Each structure stands twice: as C-alpha cells, then as structure tokens.
DNA sequence: ACGCCATAGTGCTTTTTTAGAACTTGCTTG
DNA sequence: CAAGCAAGTTCTAAAAAAGCACTATGGCGT
C-alpha cells in the first residue's frame, strides 16, 4: 500500500497520517506555529533538504493545511500561512511535544 | 540529515518524530491500543508489508514503547505489548484521530 | 511418518523516496 | 555590470519501501 491510498482509509488516524505521516511535515508545521512563514526560514530551521521542503509545502497547500500567499509581486514570492485547519493541529503538536519531553530526554546537550 | 539524528534534537517534537515519524508506526500503535498484540494481527490490519512491520516492531521495542513478551515456548512466539511509555501515546493518537475526523472526511465510503 | 496448516518472520528484486549539492530565475543593490 | 538574495528546480547516488515468495518451527489429522 502506498501512502496516498491511506487518505481514504476508514480510520481517521490513518487519514491524518496520509497528510502528516512523515518525518518532516510536522516539523514544518511546528515552525509555522512558531511564526515562520517563508521557504528560507523553514530550510534553515529543519534538517530536510530544500527538495523535500518544496514538496511538503506543496502537499500541505493541497491538503488545505497551509495557504500560499504572495507577499511580493516583483519576484513572485509567497508566505506559507496556516489555515484554520492547520491551526487546529496545534493540540496534536502539543501532545507530541509533551510526550517527547517526558519520555525522550536529550542525551547530547545542546542548550545551556 | 537522516532521521536517527533527530533523536538528539533540542526540540521535543523532533525527538518524538524520531520514534514515530513515519507512515506506519502510529498505525501499529493504534492497533496496540485497540488490543492487538501479535505480528499477524498487525499484518492483517495495516497496509504495510511484513518487512516493514518487523522493522517497526523492532524499533518500537528498542525505543521502549513496546515490549516483546513470549507467549509460547514451543515455537518461540511473542506478544508485543505497550509499555507505560507507549500507553501514554494514547492522548496523541486521540488528538490526531479527532483532527482527522473533523478535517479529513472519507471520500470513498467504506462503512455503511 | 507424512502432508498440511499456522505464526513469525527473511530474502530478493523492483520501484519510490530521500539526501546532497549545484544550478536557475527574477529582481535588487553597489 | 557584478554580487546577492529568495525561492525554488535539477541531477545523481543512496536509502527505504513495495511486493512476493520462501524459510523455520511446531501442531494436528490420518
């Protein structure tokens, strides 16, 4: 089964995963919730390649989680903004964050 | 960046995704929460190949989310059981389920 | 003992995805 | 005119996943 087929699954968890069930999508969304909105911001923040980033942004726009809003006409440029649908992923991100904080302590310290 | 490197990320969301950030892992966990515990049950339920299933179960055991408990000595056989750490993913699964129910309606009806 | 079934995986080959780095495009600024 | 920035796109190689078939271990029926 390829993961596009998941989008019509009877199970809502499976359908959700058809949208954000990969390593990078939720990290992009996390960045959106932190206020990021541009390609370069996402690229610098996450560890994914620009290639994957472009692909994931496209998928998220198709899925209605983000919208691509022009912020410059001159060289056509866009902000990626959370829709209401996307905003409502905040609780999900928080439960995942809480689980990580509780159960996955950092081994290699990066913060002071 | 490969996804194993995510496990030491400063961000707890990223660390969480290093454990369950793929298309199938959360579906296996969903099945666990529904009471499934055996290889064949997971195999019949989800759409992943047996190959991937075996790999994900191994990772989940290594991550301390599941434990592999023998239920038969004769032919060595095991149940995969949620640990407390695994049980605590229930809220996360529920928020994902709720989001899916609300925002990703089924297009191709499968239920009556 | 022999064939057949069940569970829990492995092996192998093909296809799809990802990584990683360079390149393109459109426009701005020095 | 050269340099730079933002937002991608292209290309190649490597990794992961799909899809089947196959193995291993033991039970059961005859």
């Amino acid at each position: 089964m390829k993961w596009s087929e998941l989008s019509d699954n009877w199970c809502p968890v499976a359908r959700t995963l058809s949208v954000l069930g990969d390593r990078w999508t939720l990290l992009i969304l996390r960045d959106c919730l932190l206020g990021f909105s541009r390609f370069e911001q996402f690229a610098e923040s996450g560890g994914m390649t620009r290639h994957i980033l472009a692909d994931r942004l496209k998928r998220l726009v198709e899925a209605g989680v983000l919208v691509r809003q022009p912020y410059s006409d001159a060289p056509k440029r866009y902000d990626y903004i959370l829709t209401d649908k996307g905003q409502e992923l905040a609780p999900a991100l928080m439960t995942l964050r809480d689980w990580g904080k509780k159960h996955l302590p950092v081994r290699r310290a990066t913060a002071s």
Side-chain angles (χ1 to χ4, degrees), chain A residues 29 32-33 64-65 81-92 94:
Chain A
L29 262 11
C32 290
L33 287 164
V65 172
I81 305 292
L82 285 168
T83 59
D84 290 348
K85 183 170 170 179
Q87 289 281 355
E88 291 189 46
L89 280 167
M94 288 184 213

Side-chain angles (χ1 to χ4, degrees), chain A residues 61-104:
Chain A
V61 169
E62 279 164 17
V65 172
L66 298 180
V67 276
R68 194 158 170 262
Q69 284 183 347
Y71 73 87
S72 152
D73 265 336
K76 285 273 182 195
R77 255 135 236 221
Y78 303 88
D79 277 313
Y80 292 91
I81 305 292
L82 285 168
T83 59
D84 290 348
K85 183 170 170 179
Q87 289 281 355
E88 291 189 46
L89 280 167
L93 263 297
M94 288 184 213
T95 53
L96 293 172
R97 177 201 60 190
D98 293 344
W99 188 83
K101 282 177 81 164
K102 177 162 181 186
H103 294 291
L104 302 171

Side-chain angles (χ1 to χ4, degrees), chain A residues 28-44:
Chain A
I28 295 172
L29 262 11
R30 172 204 63 187
D31 287 349
C32 290
L33 287 164
L34 291 174
F36 290 16
S37 65
R38 305 208 175 148
F39 193 93
E40 293 298 323
Q41 290 179 303
F42 300 128
E44 281 157 35

